[in-house]
Amino acid sequence: MGLKRTSNRAGPPALSDADRVRAYMEESAVCRSLGEQGSRLLRFLVEQTLEGKAPQAKTIATLLDGVEEPDDAYLTQIRDRVSKLRKALSFYYDTHGTADIVVMSLPDNAKRDGYRVTPKFADRQVRAGSPDGMGLVIPAKPWIDTLSRSGLTNAFRIKEQNRERLHRVKDLIREEAKVKQPHFRLVASSGFSYLNRSMGPVWVEAGLGDIVYGRKARFDVVLESPFSDFAECRALANVDTRHHWDHKVNVRELEELQDQRPNLSIRVTEIPVNCSLFITSKSIFYDPYLWARPSGVHPTENNFWVFEFRRGEESYDCYELLTRHFSFVWENSVTLREFLRQEPSYERRTKLFEERVRTRIRQAKLRDRRA
């Protein structure tokens, strides 16, 4: 293999190829993807290779399995295990391991020459700076594989990638429109982008309105109450006495929309809604809300990232977790009509909210002056 130790002209010595392989084995997801038996076999073959050895089936049986005198049937089992390992490695690097900095392979015909792992250092290595500019190879991070297995397929930086995000939402709406019973779900603070019939970019430009009206797609919506504790927190973060429905939601229009479209259900919850979720049968757009304002003119919740999840592996499936979150919020909500008919009136609750926030903003300013 020619695994030699190399060193920088200045600064700490560089990792040897053998060290890099061992670090990769510990920090990557390759062993976890193979299961206990496959991982054990791969680790054994890698260590044997790094020591300059090429074990045959009998050596594997003796040193790894502790079988002193394996018969022909047992040796055949060993060769089958190696064959399965070879295929599993190929599958891993074609799917979850596409970004790995080391690629492990096994020869197809090694019955005579022994089973020697061939580690190839991929061109996609990431390097950290060093005094001589050469750098050390940083092993692939396990969380990259975990995110992939969790179903993460896209991420859009707001607001720099708003157009790309909108185009992707449009694709998802078209995709959902093709299923037999299209069904969209939404959890949001105001739902402006998805429900405003004249200005909402998703409703108008991405075509959600056409699908809901023309094709009668089911659309279940939960909006956060403008009088909730979380709404008050948002107002304080924005130093704004208005609640988040004040300049985004036309209440009468929402009522009309729901009356006209029996396939559209709008509910309201007092539960904190600290993210928006737009859900189709195959994807979820997850938009976390934050309390950090990039400037005095930007609201808090629209300056982070939006992530798209599709269905992942069972143990990691974020799509399933987020749909359960929607179900919980939905179950702890009331219809829009019930919400608007609560006492005191919507208008009176708005005034009480503004008074409460105004008082808290004033108290915060006094504290700042005293500090």
Side-chain angles (χ1 to χ4, degrees), residues 213-227:
Y213 264 85
R215 305 194 189 184
K216 296 183 173 57
R218 182 178 168 188
F219 190 18
D220 295 329
V221 178
V222 183
L223 302 181
E224 180 193 10
S225 166
F227 313 121

Side-chain angles (χ1 to χ4, degrees), residues 88-351:
L89 285 172
S90 178
F91 176 79
Y92 170 78
Y93 288 114
D94 285 341
T95 54
H96 303 306
T98 56
D100 283 19
I101 64 167
V102 181
V103 176
M104 301 285 189
S105 62
L106 282 163
D108 289 332
N109 300 309
K111 184 175 181 179
R112 184 189 66 182
D113 298 330
Y115 298 103
R116 182 190 295 270
V117 178
T118 303
K120 177 182 177 183
F121 298 97
D123 295 335
R124 49 183 174 266
Q125 295 166 355
V126 180
R127 295 183 178 270
S130 64
D132 64 359
M134 293 179 66
L136 299 177
V137 174
I138 303 174
K141 303 299 183 183
W143 48 263
I144 295 176
D145 177 72
T146 301
L147 286 172
S148 175
R149 295 168 70 186
S150 298
L152 181 66
T153 56
N154 273 307
F156 302 90
R157 181 68 167 93
I158 302 173
K159 298 181 177 180
E160 287 80 355
Q161 293 180 290
N162 275 358
R163 296 306 303 174
E164 294 94 322
R165 175 181 57 144
L166 185 61
H167 289 153
R168 180 57 184 153
V169 172
K170 188 174 184 177
D171 290 340
L172 294 179
I173 291 172
R174 288 174 173 173
E175 179 183 61
E176 187 68 16
K178 295 177 182 178
V179 305
K180 186 175 182 180
Q181 296 179 320
H183 182 197
F184 301 96
R185 287 165 285 179
L186 173 71
V187 173
S189 58
S190 67
F192 174 85
S193 296
Y194 297 86
L195 288 171
N196 189 293
R197 288 185 286 179
S198 59
M199 298 174 60
V202 175
W203 182 270
V204 178
E205 190 173 344
L208 180 61
D210 291 337
I211 302 300
V212 173
Y213 264 85
R215 305 194 189 184
K216 296 183 173 57
R218 182 178 168 188
F219 190 18
D220 295 329
V221 178
V222 183
L223 302 181
E224 180 193 10
S225 166
F227 313 121
S228 66
D229 291 340
F230 207 63
E232 185 173 330
C233 183
R234 177 186 281 105
L236 292 171
N238 285 315
V239 195
D240 189 347
T241 58
R242 300 175 302 172
H243 57 62
H244 62 278
W245 281 26
D246 180 80
H247 54 294
K248 289 186 175 181
V249 175
N250 185 323
V251 174
R252 300 307 165 213
E253 186 177 88
L254 276 188
E255 286 187 289
E256 293 173 1
L257 184 61
Q258 183 165 261
D259 290 340
Q260 294 169 2
R261 297 287 91 186
N263 52 309
L264 172 60
S265 299
I266 302 175
R267 299 179 70 87
V268 181
T269 184
E270 296 289 338
I271 289 177
V273 175
N274 60 352
C275 67
S276 70
L277 299 175
F278 180 60
I279 307 174
T280 71
S281 59
K282 295 183 178 179
S283 281
I284 290 181
F285 258 53
Y286 166 57
D287 177 4
Y289 296 158
L290 299 181
W291 301 133
R293 304 181 69 189
S295 74
V297 297
H298 288 91
T300 61
E301 70 269 21
N302 291 322
N303 297 278
F304 191 55
W305 288 79
V306 171
F307 304 96
E308 180 188 349
F309 288 94
R310 294 175 85 87
R311 294 189 183 277
E313 296 182 13
E314 183 176 355
S315 299
Y316 294 84
D317 193 353
C318 286
Y319 179 97
E320 178 65 23
L321 290 173
L322 292 171
T323 55
R324 290 180 186 177
H325 177 69
F326 173 87
S327 298
F328 174 80
V329 177
W330 177 269
E331 291 164 3
N332 290 275
S333 62
V334 298
T335 66
L336 177 65
R337 187 169 287 104
E338 288 178 282
F339 170 76
L340 294 176
R341 289 179 178 175
Q342 291 173 354
E343 294 294 337
S345 68
Y346 179 84
E347 291 74 16
R348 178 57 181 162
R349 280 181 285 168
T350 295
K351 290 181 180 179

